[in-house]
């Protein structure tokens, strides 16, 4: 009996730790990035995005050239925005505009990241782009990387954009947690669900879903499920040898650009 009681206490103890630290695990906040020029981004300026709840979020902006589109980039759950420099440089070199938003709690920004708060951050970024370029939602491309896919899908249900790009997306945080912490009732314990699967068929924009079949963090099956449930127009790019963080080694920027060229015609 004492072993059973000990096992129950250990189960409850570690469950409590996971419950209390879940946002530390989900939102792996980062320090301050270097200046854009130190990453080879010579035409990128640092700006501050003002949120409705009074935060100023460090972000990077490069204006579009020759009537090219603007891409609003929602990053994943780890690292500062400097780690995305090599990604956005590919779009900037093609004349695209880019706004790389840094979430609250990341890249030296104040504030606490939560699902609700990330939606506030994203709304502020989209409003900033609309005001800066005097454009409409249909002129904006929304790019969601991993955790950022949860924000991209949410806003895809609210507005019709030129397109939505989902890189290594998940069906929901609950589904991820169920696989990792299967001995706990995670559905009842998760604060921030980012339920992409329940929303994906309500997205109003063309969707491109990109995933590595060897993704070791978000199982590739999540992307397949999202793709099959999403409405047309939609396309997918599933790469045999890619894992979670090396998709740009396979030049996926070319597919993102080509996908949007189809939509411009």
């Amino acid at each position: 009996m004492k072993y059973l009681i000990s096992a129950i206490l250990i189960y409850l103890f570690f469950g409590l730790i996971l419950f209390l630290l879940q946002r530390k695990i989900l939102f792996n906040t980062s320090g301050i990035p270097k200046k854009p020029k130190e990453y080879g981004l010579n035409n990128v300026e640092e700006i501050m995005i003002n949120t409705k709840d009074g935060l100023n979020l460090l972000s990077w902006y490069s204006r579009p050239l020759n009537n090219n589109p603007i891409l609003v980039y929602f990053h994943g759950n780890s690292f500062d925005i400097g780690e995305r420099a090599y990604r956005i440089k590919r779009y900037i070199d093609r004349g695209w505009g880019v706004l790389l938003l840094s979430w609250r709690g990341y890249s030296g920004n104040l504030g606490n990241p939560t699902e609700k708060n990330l939606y506030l951050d994203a709304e502020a970024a989209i409003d900033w782009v609309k005001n800066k370029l005097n454009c409409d939602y249909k002129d904006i491309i929304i790019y969601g990387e991993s955790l950022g896919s949860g924000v991209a899908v949410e806003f895809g249900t609210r507005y019709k954009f030129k397109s939505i790009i989902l890189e290594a997306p998940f069906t929901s945080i609950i589904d991820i947690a169920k696989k990792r912490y299967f001995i706990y009732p995670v559905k009842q314990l998760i604060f921030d669900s980012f339920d992409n699967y329940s929303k994906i068929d309500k997205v109003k924009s063309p969707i491109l879903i990109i995933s590595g079949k060897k993704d070791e963090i978000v199982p590739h099956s999540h992307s397949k499920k999202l793709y099959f449930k999403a409405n047309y127009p939609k396309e997918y790019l599933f790469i045999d040898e890619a894992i979670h963080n090396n998709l740009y080694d396979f030049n996926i920027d070319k597919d993102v650009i080509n996908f949007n060229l189809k939509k411009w015609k």
Side-chain angles (χ1 to χ4, degrees), residues 2-56:
K2 67 178 181 180
Y3 295 110
L4 177 60
I5 294 173
S6 296
I8 292 172
L9 290 175
I10 291 170
Y11 172 84
L12 292 174
F13 173 75
F14 283 105
L16 179 62
I17 294 298
L18 287 171
F19 176 74
L20 295 175
L21 296 181
Q22 63 177 279
R23 281 182 168 152
K24 292 286 187 182
I25 298 169
L26 179 58
F27 304 107
N28 186 21
T29 55
S30 62
I32 301 172
K34 296 179 286 187
K35 299 296 183 182
K37 287 185 178 180
E38 296 185 60
Y39 298 96
L41 300 175
N42 296 317
N43 297 313
V44 171
E45 58 179 305
E46 292 184 322
I47 63 166
M48 302 302 291
I49 300 288
N50 303 315
T51 66
K52 289 181 179 179
D53 58 343
L55 292 180
N56 297 312

Side-chain angles (χ1 to χ4, degrees), residues 5 12 20 22 41 93 170 181 185 192 218 220 222 239 246:
I5 294 173
L12 292 174
L20 295 175
Q22 63 177 279
L41 300 175
D93 288 347
F170 49 83
Y181 313 110
D192 309 285
V218 179
H220 173 60
H222 287 232
I239 301 173
N246 74 341

Side-chain angles (χ1 to χ4, degrees), residues 88-142:
I88 66 169
K89 187 176 188 300
R90 301 190 186 194
Y91 302 107
I92 294 169
D93 288 347
R94 291 292 297 267
W96 280 29
V98 173
L99 175 66
L100 173 54
L101 171 68
S102 181
W103 305 121
R104 65 184 67 200
Y106 289 82
S107 298
N109 291 330
L110 299 177
N112 298 311
T114 66
E115 181 174 4
K116 178 182 176 182
N117 286 345
L118 264 57
Y119 294 159
L120 289 176
D121 298 349
E123 187 79 69
I126 294 168
D127 287 346
W128 187 92
V129 166
K130 287 179 62 188
N131 293 330
K132 178 73 173 181
L133 297 179
N134 192 28
C135 65
D136 200 354
Y137 296 110
K138 63 181 176 60
D139 301 313
I140 299 170
I141 297 165
I142 298 294

Side-chain angles (χ1 to χ4, degrees), residues 9 18 25 30 32-33 73 91 111 121 134 142-143 161 169 188 194-195 199-200 212 214-215 222 229 241 257-258:
L9 290 175
L18 287 171
I25 298 169
S30 62
I32 301 172
Y73 192 112
Y91 302 107
D121 298 349
N134 192 28
I142 298 294
Y143 190 110
F161 298 100
Q188 289 72 38
F194 290 102
D195 191 355
K199 302 174 186 177
I200 193 71
K214 294 185 177 180
D215 193 316
H222 287 232
K229 193 179 181 188
E241 298 301 317
I257 290 169
N258 289 336

Side-chain angles (χ1 to χ4, degrees), residues 113-209:
T114 66
E115 181 174 4
K116 178 182 176 182
N117 286 345
L118 264 57
Y119 294 159
L120 289 176
D121 298 349
E123 187 79 69
I126 294 168
D127 287 346
W128 187 92
V129 166
K130 287 179 62 188
N131 293 330
K132 178 73 173 181
L133 297 179
N134 192 28
C135 65
D136 200 354
Y137 296 110
K138 63 181 176 60
D139 301 313
I140 299 170
I141 297 165
I142 298 294
Y143 190 110
E145 171 211 330
S146 194
L147 178 66
S149 72
V151 184
V153 169
E154 169 65 23
F155 278 83
T157 68
R158 301 186 190 183
Y159 312 113
K160 185 173 183 179
F161 298 100
K162 180 174 284 293
S163 73
I164 290 183
I165 313 300
L166 303 178
E167 178 195 336
F170 49 83
T171 52
S172 72
I173 295 300
I174 291 172
D175 290 341
I176 295 288
K178 279 181 179 179
K179 185 176 178 64
R180 295 184 183 179
Y181 313 110
F182 55 87
I183 64 173
Y184 292 105
V186 295
K187 186 175 182 179
Q188 289 72 38
L189 300 175
I190 293 290
F191 294 144
D192 309 285
S193 63
F194 290 102
D195 191 355
N196 287 340
Y197 190 73
S198 71
K199 302 174 186 177
I200 193 71
D201 58 347
K202 301 175 183 66
V203 170
K204 304 173 183 180
S205 313
I207 300 175
L208 174 61
I209 297 178

